[in-house]
Amino acid sequence: MSSDTSHADGTGESGGSPAAAPAGATTASPPAGSGGPPESSGQQDGRPGLLRDMSLSAVLAGLVAVVVSYSGPLVIVLAAAAAGHLDKAQTSSWVWAISIGSGLTCIGLSLRTRMPVITAWSTPGAALLVTSLGAYSYAEAIGAFIVTGVVITLVGLTGVFGRLMRQVPTAVVAAMLAGILFSFGTGVFTSLKTAPWIAGTVLAGYLLGKRFLPRYAVLIALAVGVACSAATSRLDIRLDHLELARPVLTSPHFSVASLIGIAVPMILATLASQNAPGMAVLTASGYQPRDRLLIGSTGLVSTALAPFGSHAINLAAITAAICTGPESHRDPKRRYVAGVACGAFYLLIGAFGTTLVVFFAGLPKELVAAIAGVALFGALAGGLTGAVTEERDREAALITFLATASGMTLFGVGSAFWGLVFGVVAHLVLTRWRSRSATA
């Protein structure tokens, strides 16, 4: 980072980097593999802090996070737009709104907190809309999006969400992170079945880069993977023309039906399946996320952009882990640059609406899976290490890991949330209740 000072928002929360953790704090210390103890971010040399802390590895981490976002979760948004019978202008405005919202919050929050704060659009929320958007008018959906943003803002600003998250044991948080990333780690090897040359080249490039140029291992893996994809004629990138997106402002219509059918499940899915894991990723990487600032800000931006189609902006988890781990930078204080870079790429792509989406759609899915997997190796190793550090919490952490990695969905809520629930229950049964009965 450019500064070792902690920030405070007047709510009693300490902010910022791993170095700011006070003694006895309930947040996690940096697990092995997450970059270790914070190091100096360099001497003051007269340059602005961001330029001084800039690194190619951090910028690349931001780029990889954006590639993963537009190659996967955005497809669900486009499917929801098709299910809701949105025209091309409305769909382009939707993509513009969620991209601009994600970009502004990434840049603003990363610079404010000096943490790699990665935001994105609600993937489970978009999945919900695939099956429900067609039952309501677009104006009703916009009204539900506005209510969703307002409620999430209030939940964040009151601090209720953060207080609940801080009660979760460190080992359970680390295990949930490992569970979230598990399928991405194995994706490197499952891709060998359908595209052995591409996935194998990515893995080999990463290992050789890790041995000789560790800071640029992911860049080397990406370069050789793209080269192999081109050599095997697997790249299908077409850019006939570039056209700036034109935001479409839609007047909201509020109805009880759309609030029950869209807003309520959207709020629950976004808080439980997105913001909770997003907070956990930052905590497991040794940072102290300021919940009121982060959740409140994303809620406000969601509300402001809802009339243009944004269904929900929230903290990211998977793409966040790409930027919070050691592959981004060995110094945790300088990883916030990855958040700024991620936001800049969001803004660039979002400015063109759907016209740049075809670029990412042309990348082989095996290449995206392999690059995401190797970029997350460090974060996954850190999560696994943190999960087993405390012997008394190992079983609870194991339950959390298995539940999260299973990918199950109950009542429309994803496995990351249920991993937390099962892990906390197991922790209470195996530790707190046991210790109480022993002293009785």
Side-chain angles (χ1 to χ4, degrees):
M1 287 185 201
S2 60
S3 172
D4 291 333
T5 58
S6 299
H7 296 277
D9 60 1
T11 61
E13 300 169 80
S14 58
S17 72
T26 57
T27 51
S29 58
S34 66
E39 304 170 23
S40 172
S41 60
Q43 297 179 348
Q44 301 291 330
D45 58 5
R47 290 183 294 168
L50 181 61
L51 292 179
R52 183 175 60 248
D53 293 337
M54 189 75 69
S55 66
L56 179 59
S57 59
V59 173
L60 177 66
L63 175 61
V64 172
V66 168
V67 170
V68 172
S69 293
Y70 283 104
S71 301
L74 188 68
V75 175
I76 302 176
V77 172
L78 298 179
H85 308 291
L86 272 61
D87 59 32
K88 181 178 179 181
Q90 291 170 329
T91 302
S92 180
S93 180
W94 190 351
V95 174
W96 173 87
I98 58 177
S99 301
I100 297 301
S102 300
L104 292 176
T105 48
C106 276
I107 293 173
L109 293 173
S110 294
L111 288 174
R112 173 72 184 276
T113 64
R114 288 300 192 266
M115 294 186 298
V117 179
I118 308 301
T119 60
W121 50 91
S122 174
T123 302
L128 164 73
L129 293 172
V130 171
T131 58
S132 63
L133 189 58
Y136 308 95
S137 68
Y138 186 52
E140 285 181 302
I142 293 297
F145 296 167
I146 292 175
V147 171
T148 297
V150 170
V151 172
I152 291 177
T153 300
L154 294 175
V155 170
L157 293 179
T158 57
V160 173
F161 188 78
R163 284 194 291 271
L164 291 175
M165 285 298 299
R166 283 189 287 273
Q167 301 306 311
V168 180
T170 298
V172 170
V173 171
M176 187 190 72
L177 171 62
I180 292 172
L181 304 182
F182 178 74
S183 63
F184 287 84
T186 58
V188 178
F189 304 98
T190 55
S191 296
L192 288 169
K193 179 178 180 180
T194 54
W197 283 107
I198 295 176
T201 300
V202 168
L203 181 59
Y206 173 80
L207 292 175
L208 290 173
K210 199 70 175 176
R211 173 64 180 84
F212 297 104
L213 294 169
R215 287 188 60 183
Y216 306 107
V218 177
L219 175 61
I220 294 171
L222 177 62
V224 297
V226 170
C228 184
S229 299
T232 55
S233 302
R234 289 292 306 275
L235 288 180
D236 185 24
I237 298 175
R238 301 174 184 174
L239 285 178
D240 298 329
H241 68 283
L242 290 178
E243 181 180 350
L244 289 174
R246 298 176 181 177
V248 176
L249 180 64
T250 302
S251 298
H253 176 70
F254 301 95
S255 69
V256 175
S258 65
L259 295 183
I260 295 175
I262 295 180
V264 172
M266 182 86 71
I267 292 167
L268 295 176
T270 301
L271 287 173
S273 298
Q274 294 279 177
N275 283 323
M279 291 276 290
V281 167
L282 286 168
T283 302
S285 298
Y287 296 96
Q288 291 182 281
R290 300 159 59 189
D291 55 277
R292 296 189 186 190
L293 174 64
L294 303 188
I295 307 299
S297 296
T298 53
L300 283 171
V301 172
S302 295
T303 305
L305 291 173
F308 299 99
S310 173
H311 59 293
I313 303 297
N314 46 242
L315 298 179
I318 296 166
T319 50
I322 296 174
C323 298
T324 60
E327 304 302 337
S328 174
H329 200 282
R330 61 188 179 88
D331 184 355
K333 294 181 180 181
R334 296 177 63 178
R335 294 175 191 167
Y336 77 94
V337 174
V340 177
C342 181
F345 288 122
Y346 271 139
L347 294 180
L348 175 63
I349 297 168
F352 294 95
T354 56
T355 57
L356 273 183
V357 173
V358 296
F359 175 86
F360 298 98
L363 296 175
K365 62 180 181 179
E366 294 87 358
L367 173 63
V368 176
I371 290 298
V374 297
L376 289 167
F377 276 174
L380 177 57
L384 291 172
T385 303
V388 300
T389 299
E390 293 290 337
E391 183 176 356
R392 70 169 194 161
D393 286 331
R394 284 178 185 169
E395 287 182 276
L398 175 62
I399 291 172
T400 301
F401 172 76
L402 293 175
T404 304
S406 71
M408 67 174 182
T409 299
L410 294 177
F411 310 110
V413 179
S415 61
F417 172 75
W418 293 114
L420 278 180
V421 171
F422 291 133
V424 169
V425 171
H427 170 76
L428 292 174
V429 172
L430 297 175
T431 59
R432 293 191 180 183
W433 291 350
R434 178 193 299 168
S435 59
R436 287 179 182 177
S437 61
T439 57

